[in-house]
Amino acid sequence: MIENLKRIREPLAWILIALVAANLVLGIVQLVLQVQQAVPPFEAFQAIGGSLMNISLLVAVIVVVCTCFFIAPATRHARTLTLVAAWVLTIGVILTLVSYALGAAAADNALGRVLEIVGALLDLILKGIAAGSLWVLLSGVNAGRIDTAPLALPAPEEAEDTAGELPSETEPRTTWQRGEAAGAVWRTADEAAAGAPGATRMPSGQEAPIFRDEAASAARDEPAGQ
């Protein structure tokens, strides 16, 4: 059950973000339709002000986005998901603010206008906190101030491919072939064991090498008479 929830959390977050965006689009369509039906613009804004974004849906978006970051393993698109969600919620807050500001002018009396403003402020504060929390989360993760869960480990096939890779050409060789060693000399046995290239002869003025492998030595090792 838990593993299934981990697999669907990222698609679920995208679905919730799409629902919030669709809610905003429907609110704008409703506003346009009301204006076309000769409804005063201030009253039209007042009607859609509180319905542009549902608080319960915003809470669900924040919870699912946080699970993508903090429940191991973190999803690969958690940052992109959070950025998109933050922008959608921010646009919704701005539209809600404009709707409440214009809708307050439709109140008939001063008391009704005050009540309209107080209710709008409470709704805007909650929605602003929801959008701001995502920006704070994204900023903290990018700056390294907030630790997130590690990403998923690579698949076994990928691990096997990585393990089977040949050493880089820049890595030093530790062995040499018989054909490369025939007739070559080294200054020390350590150089020969380390795979250092041998020389055909030692430079004049240097001591004789303590390790030597020549083709002639192979001939001496053969049985006599062959």
Side-chain angles (χ1 to χ4, degrees):
M1 179 65 179
I2 301 298
E3 295 299 324
N4 291 333
L5 291 176
K6 289 182 179 181
R7 284 194 293 268
I8 68 171
R9 56 185 165 165
E10 187 170 293
L12 179 60
W14 287 116
I15 292 174
L16 292 175
I17 294 172
L19 289 177
V20 174
N23 197 9
L24 295 176
V25 173
L26 290 176
I28 295 174
V29 172
Q30 181 183 357
L31 174 65
V32 173
L33 292 177
Q34 289 185 0
V35 172
Q36 289 178 350
Q37 294 174 0
V39 176
F42 290 149
E43 293 183 6
F45 278 106
Q46 185 182 31
I48 69 167
S51 62
L52 286 176
M53 289 196 302
N54 184 276
I55 295 295
S56 301
L57 191 57
L58 299 187
V59 173
V61 169
I62 295 173
V63 170
V64 177
V65 167
C66 289
T67 60
C68 294
F69 262 125
F70 299 111
I71 294 182
T75 61
R76 297 185 179 276
H77 304 96
R79 294 173 186 264
T80 304
L81 189 68
T82 306
L83 181 62
V84 174
W87 274 114
V88 171
L89 267 62
T90 300
I91 294 173
V93 170
I94 294 174
L95 293 176
T96 302
L97 175 61
V98 172
S99 299
Y100 277 139
L102 297 177
D108 297 332
N109 51 58
L111 179 60
R113 188 168 300 173
V114 170
L115 293 177
E116 184 77 20
I117 292 174
V118 171
L121 285 177
L122 292 176
D123 187 57
L124 280 172
I125 289 174
L126 293 176
K127 294 176 179 179
I129 291 174
S133 63
L134 293 180
W135 287 113
V136 171
L137 172 62
L138 190 62
S139 176
V141 171
N142 290 335
R145 295 190 300 268
I146 299 178
D147 295 330
T148 61
L151 293 174
L153 296 176
E157 294 79 5
E158 297 179 4
E160 291 177 1
D161 293 342
T162 303
E165 291 180 356
L166 295 176
S168 173
E169 293 295 334
T170 59
E171 295 181 0
R173 296 173 53 190
T174 56
T175 59
W176 36 262
Q177 302 298 324
R178 180 70 181 179
E180 299 174 347
V185 293
W186 289 265
R187 289 181 298 175
T188 64
D190 291 338
E191 288 186 0
T200 55
R201 64 178 182 175
M202 293 300 297
S204 60
Q206 294 191 9
E207 297 181 358
I210 64 172
F211 182 83
R212 184 179 184 90
D213 187 356
E214 299 179 348
S217 62
R220 288 198 301 268
D221 294 338
E222 293 180 359
Q226 291 186 0

